[in-house]
Amino acid sequence: MKVFFIASECAPIVKVGGLGDVAGALPKALKKNKVDVTVCLPFYKTIDPEKYALELVLKELKVFYEEDYNKVTVWRTMLPGSEVPVLLFENVKYLSGGGVYFARSAFCESHREVERFSFFSKSILEYLKNQKIKADLFHCNDWHTASVPILLATLYKKERILRHAACVFTIHNLGNQGIADLVVLDELGINKNSLKFLDWDAQNRDIDLMMQGIVQSDAVNAVSETYAHEILTKQYGAGLEEVLRGKSGRLFGILNGIDYDVFDPQKDQSLFFRYNLKNWREGKKKNREELKKRLNLSQNDKPLVGMVTRLTEQKGLNLVEKVFDKMIQLGFQFVLLGLGDEEIEEAFKELERKYPQDVSINLKFSTALANQIYAVSDVFLMPSKFEPCGLGQMIALKYGAIPIVRATGGLKDTIQDRKTGFVFKSFTGEALLKVLIRARDAFSQKEAWKKIVEEGMKEDFSWDRSAKEYLNLYQKALQFKHESISAKSDY
Ligand code: GLC
């Protein structure tokens, strides 16, 4: 089965959030399960060409976009530490400029961003057509890649080399749907009449790329079982609940995994001291002393709360803000790393100024510091409003930081209350405060705490199980595609 895995990020080549981790790990696990998978990425300026062995695949591909022929150069490299090829699509006008996303916090959905990713999607299909490469399946991820199923259902519908290919669409986050000015269809060269539901969708003269991508795909999945159910409701469906209900029988939930080659305190080069299930107490203590020194926090035995997160509303930071004073009074220290909405950033900086001895707010992106925080934290906080899967809680488990999570999406599917972490239900400051009190009380009982830490460290969320589920999903998608082709030819 020849699969093209298409995403806006892919670790370690280019990563902004959890999507990048998934795109860097799942293809590797698929490859181990004998899937012939190739990753496709835009060749962003931020990707350092010196770091990767690049092979020129196609010097000049002409891609018609915005009424013009645009030159695309296609490069190939390997996903580090694997046999998975990565195709990098280079184009000065649309793909090279800026970072992965043009905004400070990811996913701004400006028209420039819409053009970047729709151009990227078209370039991939043009490349395959030009080189006569037959794809069996496209695996698309989030709105950035939604133009692929849209193009396959319209402009490339009759293209011999592409018309049998099935499409799987993975929803990582419905919070960003790629709402685009309708002009993007003209830019892509798509006739508006050829698109389903456009009248309904385009009432405000815009098109919801995510929605169209979902409609046009053969199979859809969300990144956890719970999220796959939640998104059928008004509360979590972000306006797409009806469309998703219409996908019944073709909508699945597959939990992400984490890559234990990357996230393992025993192998992690960014830690000051490496550790495992046997010496975690000592290991975490040594890391903590060193990191606290560097972050100017007072040295003591207070339980330390860690957060590595995008600073957006989704992540429940307003709840944390609400209970912050009480949390410090309960005797916690607090370290945060992340970037996001300026207002939230400023509010947390203010809290750092208020509690300089006990609070450290790091507004940046650093994988080394992220891993150090997992290593030094006693508890890892994820009070999300919604969380499609969440990778932080799984990483935290492995590093012996007990997750405190809200029972939503993947958080609910991975953390067991009192056994591997602490779970709270309602999205309120009171509920968060109560769970913090529970955690602090447990922290003072050394043996009980040890048991929870060790249960957590023993959990296994490796990708292999999920890769097998994806393989299953691919097979279903191929079958659905096959059925829809034969239904059409019967007609
Ligand atoms: C998005 C979601 C997060 C998920 C990640 C990878 O960032 O918000 O919950 O873990 O995608 O699927």
Side-chain angles (χ1 to χ4, degrees):
M1 196 193 301
K2 195 163 182 58
V3 175
F4 286 86
F5 189 97
I6 309 172
S8 56
E9 355 176 339
C10 174
I13 299 173
V14 58
K15 168 184 154 175
V16 177
L19 172 61
D21 288 309
V22 173
L26 174 56
K28 284 205 252 171
L30 287 166
K31 188 83 186 185
K32 283 191 193 134
N33 282 280
K34 312 245 176 314
V35 180
D36 175 6
V37 56
T38 301
V39 176
C40 301
L41 271 184
F43 203 155
Y44 305 107
K45 197 170 63 191
T46 45
I47 298 177
D48 181 1
E50 306 279 304
K51 268 171 94 178
Y52 304 96
L54 291 175
E55 185 194 327
L56 182 64
V57 179
L58 187 60
K59 191 151 186 283
E60 184 162 343
L61 174 73
K62 289 208 171 100
V63 179
F64 195 68
Y65 194 87
E66 264 193 289
E67 308 276 307
D68 210 352
Y69 283 100
N70 297 273
K71 178 182 158 190
V72 171
T73 306
V74 186
W75 300 87
R76 182 177 19 234
T77 185
M78 285 294 177
L79 195 55
S82 81
E83 299 285 301
V84 177
V86 179
L87 293 178
L88 295 165
F89 291 78
E90 185 180 19
N91 167 269
V92 182
K93 183 166 177 200
Y94 297 106
L95 303 178
S96 307
V100 175
Y101 310 107
F102 290 114
R104 199 169 133 69
S105 61
F107 329 114
C108 86
E109 300 177 14
S110 65
H111 196 67
R112 221 176 135 203
E113 201 135 79
V114 166
E115 285 179 335
R116 160 173 283 183
F117 291 114
S118 56
F119 179 79
F120 168 54
S121 302
K122 188 166 184 184
S123 303
I124 297 166
L125 300 183
E126 278 299 314
Y127 163 72
L128 298 178
K129 180 180 147 189
N130 178 287
Q131 297 292 294
K132 303 198 170 41
I133 299 171
K134 192 164 173 285
D136 292 306
L137 188 137
F138 293 96
H139 185 164
C140 300
N141 295 277
D142 272 358
W143 76 265
H144 320 99
T145 57
S147 299
V148 170
I150 297 172
L151 284 162
L152 286 172
T154 52
L155 210 56
Y156 295 86
K157 201 173 172 179
K158 300 213 168 105
E159 198 56 58
R160 219 168 42 84
I161 208 90
L162 297 168
R163 71 171 182 224
H164 293 284
C167 219
V168 165
F169 192 89
T170 299
I171 301 169
H172 295 266
N173 196 333
L174 273 187
N176 309 286
Q177 297 176 8
I179 309 292
D181 191 306
L182 263 184
V183 74
V184 67
L185 293 178
D186 297 332
E187 293 179 0
L188 279 164
I190 294 176
N191 176 346
K192 292 194 184 74
N193 298 328
S194 61
L195 210 56
K196 278 192 209 165
F197 298 123
L198 194 61
D199 293 348
W200 178 72
D201 179 17
Q203 284 168 15
N204 302 324
R205 296 226 25 91
D206 55 26
I207 171 172
D208 184 328
L209 291 171
M210 182 92 138
M211 185 213 107
Q212 295 288 350
I214 289 170
V215 170
Q216 306 296 355
S217 292
D218 299 286
V220 178
N221 79 297
V223 288
S224 68
E225 282 278 350
T226 295
Y227 192 57
H229 287 114
E230 284 174 338
I231 56 180
L232 301 177
T233 65
K234 197 165 172 1
Q235 190 186 350
Y236 292 95
L240 297 194
E241 54 277 10
E242 275 185 43
V243 171
L244 288 161
R245 273 186 241 140
K247 274 295 193 192
S248 156
R250 290 174 176 236
L251 172 65
F252 306 87
I254 302 179
L255 190 72
N256 289 331
I258 58 168
D259 186 343
Y260 288 114
D261 290 340
V262 178
F263 297 110
D264 181 351
Q266 176 76 59
K267 301 179 197 156
D268 192 331
Q269 296 296 325
S270 55
L271 302 191
F272 312 115
F273 185 87
R274 288 185 273 288
Y275 61 93
N276 56 32
L277 187 60
K278 293 208 182 82
N279 64 347
W280 63 268
R281 251 191 221 284
E282 184 199 3
K284 288 181 74 79
K285 189 162 184 267
K286 287 194 173 160
N287 280 300
R288 192 173 306 138
E289 279 164 8
E290 180 58 34
L291 189 67
K292 279 195 190 180
K293 219 189 288 166
R294 296 186 182 205
L295 299 180
N296 292 319
L297 290 174
S298 65
Q299 300 283 353
N300 53 40
D301 290 329
K302 290 182 174 179
L304 194 135
V305 180
M307 284 188 89
V308 176
T309 183
R310 256 184 290 125
L311 285 91
T312 56
E313 202 210 335
Q314 175 198 345
K315 302 294 183 177
L317 291 149
N318 55 332
L319 294 192
V320 182
E321 234 184 289
K322 266 192 202 154
V323 305
F324 207 87
D325 294 326
K326 295 213 173 90
M327 178 171 81
I328 299 298
Q329 283 156 22
L330 280 170
F332 286 104
Q333 287 188 315
F334 182 83
V335 179
L336 177 143
L337 169 69
L339 282 172
D341 298 347
E342 264 167 68
E343 234 170 82
I344 306 180
E345 289 185 355
E346 195 30 56
F348 276 84
K349 267 289 169 200
E350 187 58 42
L351 291 166
E352 182 187 56
R353 285 191 284 273
K354 189 165 173 192
Y355 302 107
Q357 308 261 335
D358 288 320
V359 175
S360 167
I361 305 298
N362 305 275
L363 302 177
K364 57 181 177 181
F365 185 80
S366 157
T367 43
L369 181 57
N371 292 10
Q372 289 156 7
I373 292 177
Y374 288 112
V376 304
S377 297
D378 295 296
V379 296
F380 190 79
L381 189 55
M382 293 182 77
S384 306
K385 193 168 189 186
F386 67 97
E387 196 61 75
C389 177
L391 302 174
Q393 80 279 19
M394 300 192 237
I395 304 170
L397 287 174
K398 185 71 185 172
Y399 283 66
I402 297 182
I404 294 186
V405 302
R406 193 176 154 250
T408 180
L411 298 175
K412 187 173 171 199
D413 294 351
T414 49
I415 304 301
Q416 302 170 59
D417 191 39
R418 290 171 208 270
K419 189 162 180 243
T420 57
F422 296 95
V423 183
F424 70 105
K425 286 208 177 96
S426 81
F427 188 69
T428 59
E430 292 81 61
L432 175 57
L433 189 61
K434 267 194 197 152
V435 81
L436 282 166
I437 295 173
R438 278 212 281 141
R440 194 219 37 199
D441 292 348
F443 183 76
S444 56
Q445 298 163 28
K446 276 210 147 125
E447 271 314 297
W449 191 261
K450 175 169 181 278
K451 216 171 150 213
I452 305 178
V453 170
E454 293 182 359
E455 277 296 329
M457 289 182 83
K458 282 190 226 154
E459 287 277 33
D460 180 3
F461 291 106
S462 52
W463 268 106
D464 193 53
R465 176 190 39 84
S466 310
K468 293 203 164 73
E469 287 183 48
Y470 271 104
L471 194 51
N472 211 336
L473 178 64
Y474 290 173
Q475 254 128 19
K476 281 191 186 129
L478 289 174
Q479 196 192 328
F480 292 146
K481 178 75 188 179
H482 183 74
E483 283 166 13
S484 79
I485 293 175
S486 20
K488 271 181 205 134
S489 57
D490 286 354
Y491 177 73

